[in-house]
PDB file of all heavy atoms in Angstrom:
ATOM      1  N   PRO V 616       9.008  15.387 -46.034  1.00  0.00           N
ATOM      2  CA  PRO V 616       8.537  14.443 -45.000  1.00  0.00           C
ATOM      3  C   PRO V 616       9.639  13.588 -44.401  1.00  0.00           C
ATOM      4  O   PRO V 616       9.470  13.079 -43.287  1.00  0.00           O
ATOM      5  CB  PRO V 616       7.515  13.578 -45.760  1.00  0.00           C
ATOM      6  CG  PRO V 616       7.001  14.476 -46.834  1.00  0.00           C
ATOM      7  CD  PRO V 616       8.175  15.300 -47.272  1.00  0.00           C
ATOM      8  N   GLU V 617      10.788  13.437 -45.099  1.00  0.00           N
ATOM      9  CA  GLU V 617      11.832  12.563 -44.587  1.00  0.00           C
ATOM     10  C   GLU V 617      13.061  13.324 -44.126  1.00  0.00           C
ATOM     11  O   GLU V 617      13.670  12.962 -43.108  1.00  0.00           O
ATOM     12  CB  GLU V 617      12.251  11.550 -45.664  1.00  0.00           C
ATOM     13  CG  GLU V 617      11.147  10.564 -46.040  1.00  0.00           C
ATOM     14  CD  GLU V 617      11.623   9.562 -47.062  1.00  0.00           C
ATOM     15  OE1 GLU V 617      12.806   9.666 -47.486  1.00  0.00           O
ATOM     16  OE2 GLU V 617      10.822   8.692 -47.460  1.00  0.00           O
ATOM     17  N   ASN V 618      13.469  14.392 -44.832  1.00  0.00           N
ATOM     18  CA  ASN V 618      14.751  15.034 -44.549  1.00  0.00           C
ATOM     19  C   ASN V 618      14.596  16.553 -44.488  1.00  0.00           C
ATOM     20  O   ASN V 618      13.626  17.137 -45.005  1.00  0.00           O
ATOM     21  CB  ASN V 618      15.792  14.681 -45.621  1.00  0.00           C
ATOM     22  CG  ASN V 618      16.105  13.198 -45.649  1.00  0.00           C
ATOM     23  OD1 ASN V 618      16.337  12.597 -44.605  1.00  0.00           O
ATOM     24  ND2 ASN V 618      16.077  12.598 -46.822  1.00  0.00           N
ATOM     25  N   HIS V 619      15.608  17.152 -43.857  1.00  0.00           N
ATOM     26  CA  HIS V 619      15.722  18.607 -43.794  1.00  0.00           C
ATOM     27  C   HIS V 619      17.029  18.984 -44.522  1.00  0.00           C
ATOM     28  O   HIS V 619      18.126  18.593 -44.110  1.00  0.00           O
ATOM     29  CB  HIS V 619      15.759  19.080 -42.329  1.00  0.00           C
ATOM     30  CG  HIS V 619      15.911  20.569 -42.195  1.00  0.00           C
ATOM     31  ND1 HIS V 619      16.456  21.148 -41.066  1.00  0.00           N
ATOM     32  CD2 HIS V 619      15.604  21.574 -43.048  1.00  0.00           C
ATOM     33  CE1 HIS V 619      16.464  22.457 -41.231  1.00  0.00           C
ATOM     34  NE2 HIS V 619      15.952  22.731 -42.407  1.00  0.00           N
ATOM     35  N   TYR V 620      16.916  19.736 -45.623  1.00  0.00           N
ATOM     36  CA  TYR V 620      18.056  20.128 -46.438  1.00  0.00           C
ATOM     37  C   TYR V 620      18.400  21.588 -46.164  1.00  0.00           C
ATOM     38  O   TYR V 620      17.505  22.459 -46.134  1.00  0.00           O
ATOM     39  CB  TYR V 620      17.738  19.960 -47.932  1.00  0.00           C
ATOM     40  CG  TYR V 620      17.449  18.533 -48.332  1.00  0.00           C
ATOM     41  CD1 TYR V 620      16.147  18.032 -48.278  1.00  0.00           C
ATOM     42  CD2 TYR V 620      18.469  17.686 -48.749  1.00  0.00           C
ATOM     43  CE1 TYR V 620      15.860  16.734 -48.640  1.00  0.00           C
ATOM     44  CE2 TYR V 620      18.183  16.376 -49.114  1.00  0.00           C
ATOM     45  CZ  TYR V 620      16.889  15.901 -49.059  1.00  0.00           C
ATOM     46  OH  TYR V 620      16.626  14.608 -49.413  1.00  0.00           O
ATOM     47  N   ARG V 621      19.744  21.849 -45.982  1.00  0.00           N
ATOM     48  CA  ARG V 621      20.217  23.223 -45.814  1.00  0.00           C
ATOM     49  C   ARG V 621      21.467  23.420 -46.668  1.00  0.00           C
ATOM     50  O   ARG V 621      22.386  22.586 -46.631  1.00  0.00           O
ATOM     51  CB  ARG V 621      20.516  23.507 -44.339  1.00  0.00           C
ATOM     52  CG  ARG V 621      19.267  23.724 -43.506  1.00  0.00           C
ATOM     53  CD  ARG V 621      19.592  23.981 -42.068  1.00  0.00           C
ATOM     54  NE  ARG V 621      20.108  22.768 -41.434  1.00  0.00           N
ATOM     55  CZ  ARG V 621      20.358  22.666 -40.128  1.00  0.00           C
ATOM     56  NH1 ARG V 621      20.145  23.692 -39.359  1.00  0.00           N
ATOM     57  NH2 ARG V 621      20.826  21.547 -39.637  1.00  0.00           N
ATOM     58  N   TRP V 622      21.474  24.541 -47.432  1.00  0.00           N
ATOM     59  CA  TRP V 622      22.625  24.860 -48.277  1.00  0.00           C
ATOM     60  C   TRP V 622      23.256  26.155 -47.771  1.00  0.00           C
ATOM     61  O   TRP V 622      22.551  27.060 -47.287  1.00  0.00           O
ATOM     62  CB  TRP V 622      22.182  25.057 -49.741  1.00  0.00           C
ATOM     63  CG  TRP V 622      21.735  23.786 -50.389  1.00  0.00           C
ATOM     64  CD1 TRP V 622      22.497  22.895 -51.053  1.00  0.00           C
ATOM     65  CD2 TRP V 622      20.389  23.285 -50.424  1.00  0.00           C
ATOM     66  NE1 TRP V 622      21.753  21.855 -51.518  1.00  0.00           N
ATOM     67  CE2 TRP V 622      20.427  22.067 -51.142  1.00  0.00           C
ATOM     68  CE3 TRP V 622      19.163  23.737 -49.926  1.00  0.00           C
ATOM     69  CZ2 TRP V 622      19.299  21.304 -51.367  1.00  0.00           C
ATOM     70  CZ3 TRP V 622      18.039  22.973 -50.157  1.00  0.00           C
ATOM     71  CH2 TRP V 622      18.095  21.767 -50.861  1.00  0.00           C
ATOM     72  N   SER V 623      24.585  26.212 -47.832  1.00  0.00           N
ATOM     73  CA  SER V 623      25.301  27.428 -47.419  1.00  0.00           C
ATOM     74  C   SER V 623      26.354  27.740 -48.483  1.00  0.00           C
ATOM     75  O   SER V 623      26.932  26.830 -49.108  1.00  0.00           O
ATOM     76  CB  SER V 623      25.953  27.234 -46.048  1.00  0.00           C
ATOM     77  OG  SER V 623      26.870  26.152 -46.080  1.00  0.00           O
TER      78      SER V 623
END
Side-chain angles (χ1 to χ4, degrees):
E617 294 182 359
N618 297 313
H619 179 205
Y620 298 89
R621 284 179 290 187
W622 291 271
S623 59

